[in-house]
Every structure is written in C-alpha cells, then in structure tokens.
Amino acid sequence: MAYRCTIRNNNYVFEDLKTVLAKASPMRSGDVMAGIAASSYEERVAAQMALADIPLIDFIQTDIIDYDSDEVTRLIMDNYDKLVFQQLSHHTVGSFRDWLLSEAANTETLTSIAKGLVPEIVAAVSKIMRNQDLITVAQNCEVVSRFRTTIGLKGHLSTRLQPNHPFDDEKGIMASIIDGLLLGNGDAVIGINPATDNPEKVAHLLMLLDELRIQFKIPMQSCVLSHVTTTLQLIEQKAPVDLVFQSIAGTQKANASFGISLSLLKEAYEAAISLNRNSASNQIMYFETGQGAALSSNANEGVDQQTCEARAYAVARHFNPFLVNSVVGFIGPEYLYDGKQIIRAGLEDHFCGKLMGLPMGMDVCCTSHAESDQDDMDSLLTLLSVAGCNFFMGVPGADDIMLHYQSTSFHDALYARKITNKKPAPEFASWLYQEGITDTEGLLLPTNELKTILLNSTL
Amino acid sequence: MNQQDKAQNIEIGSKWQSLKKYTPARVALGRTGNAIPVKEMLQLKVAHAFAKDAVYAAMDVHLIEQSLQQLNFPVLSVCSKAVNRKMYIQRPDLGRQLDDASCIMLQQNSKGFDVGLIIADGLSATAIQLHSFPFIQQIVPLLQKAGLTIAPIVIASQARVAIGDTIGSILQCKVSVVLIGERPGLSVCDSMGIYTTYQPAMGLTDESRNCISNIHAKGLDDYTAAQKTFLLIQNSIAFKLSGVHLKENADIINLQ
C-alpha cells in the first residue's frame, strides 16, 4: 500500500511501509550507502509527515520483511501481546508520539505497554521524535534486571568493566580489572572480549573471573564474550558461565552471518539456566547490537538500519536478557559517519530498547576513522546519562587496546554519576564501601586513604 | 593515622602505579576530581591524532613490490573500485570489488593454486608497510615445505577483506589469505589482521572466515602469526571448510 504527502505542490508517493520508514529516517551514511535514504531534506520531512499519519495497525497488518522467509518477523508477529496492543490500536504514529510525551505516559503505563509494541512501531515513532523527545520518554521508562547486582533502578548508573588485552594475558586483564574496581566500575558485568575464540582459553578466563569474585566476595557477574557455540561447549564442560553473550541483528540472514539462529539462542539460554547461577531471576543473556549490522552482511532486506536495529531488540526481548547494549559507533563511519549521526543513533537505540522493555545500556564509542572524537563521546554520554541509560562501558582511559576503538573510561562513569547524581548498583555500592574504596557517602577515597587489599593479593 | 597505616597507604599508591607493568592499557592514570589528569588527557589526544593520520596514509605499493621481488615471486598490483580514501571510508561495498582493469589482469593468471596471498591496505597502510613482508617471509617457506602451490602475490589498494573473495576465485585458490591493515586504535595504529577463507567466492560473509588479529610490535609477532595461519590453511584444506565451524581446537589436535 502506498503512502502520500504533498508539500509545495510536490507530490511524494512512498510505495510501501519500509520505503516511508527509510525515507523518514534522520540522515545517516548507512542508509545512503544502501540506496534507500531520502534524496532531499524536503523528501525526508514529507516522509515523516506521511509516517505521522499512518495508523499503528498498518504495522501489524504488513510484514516489512516476509513472514515466511524470516524467522525474526515470525518471532515478532507471533509473540507481541495482542491485548496490550488493542489499547493502542486507535493511534497513528503521530498521535502515539504525542501520547508518549504526555502526562499519561508515566513509568507505570510505559512499562505496561512494552510487550504490546512491535519493533517497527517503536522505530517509526522514534523517527518523528527530536532528541529531547527520545530523552524525555526514555527517562520515564524503568527497566530493572537482577543477578548478583540490581541494574537499571532509577538513581543508579552501572558499568560493564571491559578489561580487554591483545592476547588475553591473564595478569594484563587482571590489572585492568583492579584499576576499574578501584574506580568504582564493574557493577553491571566484568566482560572480556577474548582475542581468540579458543574454548580452553575462554574457560581459563571464566575461571579467573569467578575466583576473583569468590575471593573478594564481589557482588558481580562475569562474562567472556565468545561466540555462543563456544559458550555452549563450555557450559557442557561445567565452566562457570554467568552470562551467555551473543551479537544479534534484526533479520534472519544477518543472524545467519553471525553464525546463529533463534533455536541456537534458545538452546544456549536453556543450557545456561541449567547451571543455576542466578538466584534472583532468569536473566542470563547478554546481547550486543548495533545499527548497520544487517547491512554489513548484505542482509538488511531493503529495510533502513534503525528499523533493523529495533527488530534486533525483539530478538533480545524474547530471551529475557540481563543486559543489552548497542555498540553505536563501533560498526564504523560507513553506517554512522560523524559525531552528529552517532549521537542521534545512540539516543534512538536507547529509546527503542527501553520502550520495548529492555535493560538497555550503551557502548558510547567511535572508531578512529569516523569523523568524531572524545568531545562527541562526552556529549552522548551526558545525554544518555540524563536519559537514564542503565550502563556504559568502563575501559581503561577509554582506549580498548584489543578491539581498537574509543569507548568510555572508568573516569567517564564517575563523571556521569556525579552530574546526574546517581550511584552504582546498590549491592556493588555496599561492597565498594566495605572494601574501603568509597566513603560513607559513596565517594571514592583519595588514593592515600584506600584500605582495600585488592592490590595486595591478586597479582 | 598511625605509622603502620601510613606505610600501607603509600604502598597502595605505588602498587596501583605498578599495574602498568602488566598491561599496555591506560591503567593507573590517577584522577583530579573525577577527571583524567592533564598529561594523560593530552596523551590520549595525540594517540587519536596518530590514528587519524594512519587512516589517511597511502600504501607505498612500489616499496612492497620491491621487497617481494627478493623472494622471486610474481607480484600483481590491483585496485578496488574506491578511487580515493574518502570514498573508501564511506563505501565499503566499493572497497570489496575489483576495478575492471584489475579483473582482466588477474584473469590472465587464473590457473588454480592451493593458496593465494593477498596484501590489502585496509584502514592502516602503516600496518601493511611494517608487517606484510616479514609475515610473507615467514609463511612462504612453511607453505612450500608442505608442498602447497602459491598464486602470484596480489597487492590490493583501497581494499576491504572481501576483495580476497573475488581475487581468490579468479585465481582459483583453495584458500585465500588476506593480510589487511586493521582500523587504528588509540594504543596501536599499525596492527595487521589475517583472514583465511576456504574456496573464496563472491558473496561470502564473515562466518566463512577465520581471523588472526593484532599482529604488531606489542601484539602477536610475525613468526607466531605465520605458524597460526599455516595451521588454519592446513586444517581448511583437510576439513574442506573455514569459519565458525573450524574452531581452533582443530589446530591443537593437529599440533599434537
């Protein structure tokens, strides 16, 4: 079905839903590369005007990617909560945007509608929202996840401590972990990206993290971000797997290029649950996503990258994750060219994830070949802190020496907590105090007053 | 604070500093308030500048050709469809395709080989300039000793990893080995990666490849990288596959 809009006697006709979505998307290099972006500023606004008038029900009645050939579409259409959607079905995309910004949309109502939303609706509404709208609504959402720490409570801000090392040297990794813990980081997870996917090596790293946790009684989760097939193999060998990690995307073909399928994720979820390591909830999955993932494997099926990204959140949601984050600037400037595009995408991803009910964090980051720098990262970090992002990355000096990109530092997390008056996860904050790292107010003690024995006995 | 406490606290300060011994990561930076102190802050900026400059550096094809001639190997130089750096950065699809003249030239050398070695600038010509020749010097004798035939070495400018699929399929290689400059980071702007693909063909994606990354002065050395690559090639030929299904376990089995 075609959608239309007329501006200054220019008649714009958009042949179907995915065309309107693509042309209404704020400008980004990936959609230009895919040949689906609006060709002028006017056409983009025309698409946004057309989009604002589309009834939400159209997104239920139309599969933007074919139901029979794509298992992600089947997952979406078979699993959204139809009763909840009924309450929203009178809206157009435009009136839904206005409702989201109204007083009626408080934390409770936003929580209650999450399961009724399909990702295409969430992506659509984000395209006609300004940055401040994305922040306002996301800030109203509260998505809490529980393992040994509680992540996502209002007034709290957590980090994934990311202690990567170019060849997985255990002492090198441990040095970065201690540095991060002493700076109050690591309450979401201590998560290592291994340099190789060698199962034996990954098992060693998991053991290292688990021993650290037990020795110092740290309320923490650990994860080695290996491919899900490697993790499955390690679970069979009874390795201490807290969280199953996997990169995911929003189309079946893109997931295939990651070497995964929904049934494989289900198998991994069930295997990890059987280890019984999380006594607080069934949340044991950790997913990473990012705009451009589908296009990078030629698997976007003509759909714009931000809508593909929202579809990945439907995949994540199905497995009740403990953590999800977009790696917004990681995939590169061919998808998000500069600081402006990265900042916009970061706010969209956080908003879409939260509105769909995900415990959303963000890797505020860029690569060295993007037109952006640490000032842009500071801007996005600040905006997302205000928006209530559950967690950021903590990388020593913001410099990941294994993955070769700029993320956020341990110090950045301290800054973000300070300016938004937030604390680490409650269990972790207590540990920092007991360990002699912070004072009674939760502030870091000066180095010469630290009482911790972490430095004495780990290296 | 008593004397004993004071002694312990001084020790903690110096112990924190000693973390630097164990990792090249930016640990023990200290803090002023919640911020990174000025000296370290500027160190980060200059590292960013090095990385930006590496991205825009051009590969000296002639110099690499001269080095390779020492090995008495035929060398072929090709270009992708990305005509300059800016286009290369924004259009990876063009960096994956050979330009027409290069295709025709390669077709004249198409006769079937076990292994195709491809040197591609990627996002750091600096890395390729430093590490490609030393690596080739290490791996060629290993391949020859194993009786494997090697295609003419191809140097590809403004190239992405997947250009190896086109090159490998035209030259009819069983396994393509792409040496490529990895995107520069803040600590290292000269890191090389290696991607091996069994039966390279247009349209393959990353799950069909095996990767060895972080080859640079502070990372994996050329010798070890060549050994690992050689094992991947041998396993790929033996098991007739590459990618996620060829786990590194297989290497260990073979080593034993």
Side-chain angles (χ1 to χ4, degrees):
Chain A
M1 180 179 146
Y3 299 93
R4 292 161 205 280
C5 179
T6 302
I7 300 179
R8 293 194 304 199
N9 295 325
N10 292 325
N11 295 316
Y12 290 96
V13 181
F14 307 101
E15 63 177 302
D16 54 18
L17 214 42
K18 76 178 171 190
T19 305
V20 192
L21 285 169
K23 301 234 178 207
S25 224
M27 158 79 174
R28 62 206 60 198
S29 49
D31 291 339
V32 174
M33 177 166 67
I36 56 177
S39 54
S40 69
Y41 286 87
E42 187 177 294
E43 188 189 17
R44 179 166 295 112
V45 181
Q48 289 171 351
M49 287 173 166
L51 184 59
D53 287 339
I54 298 177
L56 297 190
I57 193 80
D58 283 23
F59 293 87
I60 301 292
Q61 289 168 347
T62 316
D63 299 329
I64 62 160
I65 299 174
D66 183 47
Y67 181 93
D68 293 324
S69 64
D70 188 287
E71 65 173 0
V72 177
T73 301
R74 292 198 291 278
L75 177 91
I76 293 166
M77 289 305 166
D78 298 348
N79 289 287
Y80 78 93
D81 188 323
K82 291 165 187 69
L83 284 175
V84 173
F85 178 75
Q86 279 302 314
Q87 303 162 28
L88 304 168
S89 59
H90 61 287
H91 278 299
T92 60
V93 176
S95 73
F96 184 49
R97 178 262 182 196
D98 287 352
W99 180 82
L100 284 172
L101 290 162
S102 73
E103 288 80 2
N106 56 29
T107 303
E108 201 183 325
T109 46
L110 289 172
T111 307
S112 72
I113 63 164
K115 289 200 167 134
L117 294 173
V118 299
E120 289 82 0
I121 288 177
V122 176
V125 74
S126 79
K127 292 176 197 293
I128 55 165
M129 292 171 82
R130 288 170 47 186
N131 284 3
Q132 64 164 271
D133 302 343
L134 298 171
I135 293 170
T136 299
V137 178
Q139 197 194 44
N140 255 337
C141 297
E142 186 181 38
V143 184
V144 178
S145 57
R146 294 169 209 278
F147 202 132
R148 297 185 191 100
T149 56
T150 308
I151 305 301
L153 292 167
K154 285 198 175 171
H156 296 266
L157 174 55
S158 301
T159 60
R160 166 187 163 196
L161 201 167
Q162 184 170 311
N164 297 341
H165 187 279
F167 41 94
D168 297 334
D169 180 79
E170 294 184 10
K171 286 193 168 182
I173 285 170
M174 195 51 84
S176 291
I177 292 175
I178 292 167
D179 197 56
L181 290 172
L182 292 177
L183 289 168
N185 278 245
D187 45 341
V189 61
I190 298 182
I192 305 167
N193 296 91
T196 76
D197 215 41
N198 179 317
E200 206 177 328
K201 186 78 205 174
V202 173
H204 271 292
L205 295 176
L206 283 168
M207 239 97 84
L208 181 81
L209 294 176
D210 211 43
E211 281 162 18
L212 175 81
R213 175 180 72 81
I214 292 163
Q215 187 185 349
F216 291 94
K217 302 187 172 62
I218 311 173
M220 61 170 263
Q221 294 68 236
S222 60
C223 186
V224 178
L225 286 73
S226 52
H227 192 266
V228 65
T229 50
T230 304
T231 309
L232 255 174
Q233 195 178 329
L234 292 170
I235 292 173
E236 278 164 29
Q237 295 162 15
K238 303 289 175 216
V241 175
D242 282 347
L243 293 170
V244 174
F245 168 81
Q246 184 55 44
S247 293
I248 55 169
T251 71
Q252 179 175 338
K253 259 167 88 180
N255 283 329
S257 90
F258 284 141
I260 60 158
S261 63
L262 297 177
S263 60
L264 183 62
L265 293 177
K266 181 162 181 276
E267 189 185 343
Y269 173 82
E270 284 165 0
I273 284 284
S274 76
L275 292 178
N276 274 319
R277 293 177 68 84
N278 184 354
S279 58
S281 77
N282 283 333
Q283 297 169 319
I284 42 83
M285 301 299 277
Y286 173 17
F287 293 118
E288 279 190 344
T289 63
Q291 290 191 27
L295 180 57
S296 74
S297 54
N298 282 322
N300 64 316
E301 313 275 12
V303 175
D304 72 271
Q305 66 185 34
Q306 193 253 337
T307 303
C308 285
E309 173 73 4
R311 285 169 56 95
Y313 301 157
V315 174
R317 180 168 69 179
H318 191 67
F319 296 98
N320 187 22
F322 178 67
L323 302 171
V324 180
N325 68 265
S326 152
V327 291
V328 63
F330 183 78
I331 308 187
E334 58 271 35
Y335 306 101
L336 296 168
Y337 183 65
D338 57 13
K340 182 179 169 63
Q341 293 183 11
I342 293 171
I343 288 168
R344 171 75 200 178
L347 293 174
E348 289 167 351
D349 292 353
H350 178 252
F351 161 85
C352 291
K354 280 282 171 74
L355 196 58
M356 289 178 65
L358 292 182
M360 202 68 195
M362 187 67 63
D363 191 347
V364 171
C365 67
C366 64
T367 60
S368 300
H369 61 314
E371 283 304 314
S372 61
D373 57 22
Q374 289 289 312
D375 288 334
D376 297 310
M377 300 302 99
D378 286 348
S379 300
L380 181 55
L381 175 76
T382 307
L383 295 170
L384 284 168
S385 302
V386 174
C389 188
N390 285 19
F391 66 98
F392 297 111
M393 304 298 127
V395 180
D399 171 8
D400 191 305
I401 56 174
M402 200 283 280
L403 293 172
H404 303 310
Y405 77 116
Q406 304 181 42
S407 183
T408 45
S409 65
F410 301 138
H411 300 73
D412 289 335
L414 300 177
Y415 153 80
R417 282 175 185 154
K418 170 79 180 162
I419 56 149
T420 54
N421 195 23
K422 289 179 184 175
K423 301 229 173 326
E427 304 83 355
F428 194 78
S430 302
W431 177 79
L432 288 171
Y433 174 68
Q434 284 158 18
E435 188 59 29
I437 295 172
T438 55
D439 66 14
T440 48
E441 300 297 305
L443 297 172
L444 286 178
L445 291 164
T447 309
N448 63 3
E449 291 174 24
L450 283 174
K451 304 219 168 39
T452 179
I453 53 160
L454 258 180
L455 279 162
N456 291 342
S457 45
T458 38
L459 282 168
Chain B
M1 187 185 289
N2 65 35
Q3 283 300 322
Q4 202 186 340
D5 279 351
K6 209 177 265 178
Q8 198 210 341
N9 290 333
I10 290 163
E11 202 191 348
I12 283 179
S14 63
K15 276 207 173 145
W16 197 337
Q17 283 300 312
S18 76
L19 294 181
K20 287 179 189 287
K21 276 193 308 204
Y22 301 105
T23 176
R26 289 170 202 267
V27 295
L29 300 183
R31 62 184 176 90
T32 171
N34 290 322
I36 295 173
V38 64
K39 195 174 156 208
E40 291 289 356
M41 187 272 288
L42 288 172
Q43 284 300 315
L44 197 74
K45 280 197 133 175
V46 76
H48 182 66
F50 290 154
K52 293 299 286 186
D53 288 340
V55 167
Y56 288 100
M59 179 166 69
D60 188 339
V61 174
H62 185 63
L63 196 68
I64 299 173
E65 279 175 346
Q66 279 183 329
S67 306
L68 290 172
Q69 276 156 13
Q70 295 171 28
L71 298 175
N72 291 322
F73 248 101
V75 180
L76 305 169
S77 296
V78 300
C79 297
S80 80
K81 283 186 177 165
V83 297
N84 58 42
R85 210 61 184 158
K86 196 170 176 199
M87 188 186 284
Y88 175 81
I89 286 171
Q90 289 185 300
R91 293 291 303 272
D93 52 327
L94 298 180
R96 295 183 197 120
Q97 300 170 42
L98 274 179
D99 72 7
D100 295 342
S102 300
C103 275
I104 292 164
M105 196 248 296
L106 286 185
Q107 276 156 5
Q108 291 159 0
N109 290 276
S110 167
K111 53 178 186 185
F113 303 93
D114 292 317
V115 180
L117 297 170
I118 296 142
I119 300 172
D121 49 2
L123 282 164
S124 173
T126 313
I128 286 305
Q129 222 73 45
L130 286 169
H131 305 298
S132 62
F133 182 63
F135 174 85
I136 298 266
Q137 273 183 307
Q138 298 285 349
I139 195 145
V140 164
L142 294 174
L143 296 171
Q144 287 172 330
K145 209 172 151 194
L148 297 171
T149 57
I150 307 173
I153 296 174
V154 178
I155 306 173
S157 297
Q158 307 290 14
R160 301 266 170 181
V161 172
I163 205 167
D165 295 339
T166 311
I167 296 171
S169 72
I170 295 178
L171 294 178
Q172 299 178 42
C173 301
K174 277 186 193 157
V175 180
S176 71
V177 181
V178 178
L179 287 53
I180 192 159
E182 296 182 326
R183 61 184 179 194
L186 291 171
S187 286
V188 181
C189 63
D190 63 341
S191 180
M192 184 173 82
I194 292 172
Y195 290 81
T196 60
T197 310
Y198 183 73
Q199 280 191 341
M202 290 271 279
L204 291 179
T205 51
D206 287 347
E207 90 277 10
S208 316
R209 312 183 202 289
N210 293 96
C211 172
I212 297 166
S213 57
N214 279 299
I215 300 159
H216 54 85
K218 292 182 239 162
L220 200 64
D221 62 84
D222 302 314
Y223 172 79
T224 313
Q227 297 283 336
K228 285 184 169 228
T229 308
F230 178 59
L231 284 171
L232 282 174
I233 294 168
Q234 281 191 311
N235 283 325
S236 274
I237 292 174
F239 296 111
K240 293 190 167 31
L241 59 94
S242 58
V244 291
H245 298 295
L246 187 76
K247 287 268 182 249
E248 285 185 47
N249 307 30
D251 305 13
I252 296 159
I253 294 161
N254 246 25
L255 268 176
Q256 289 162 350

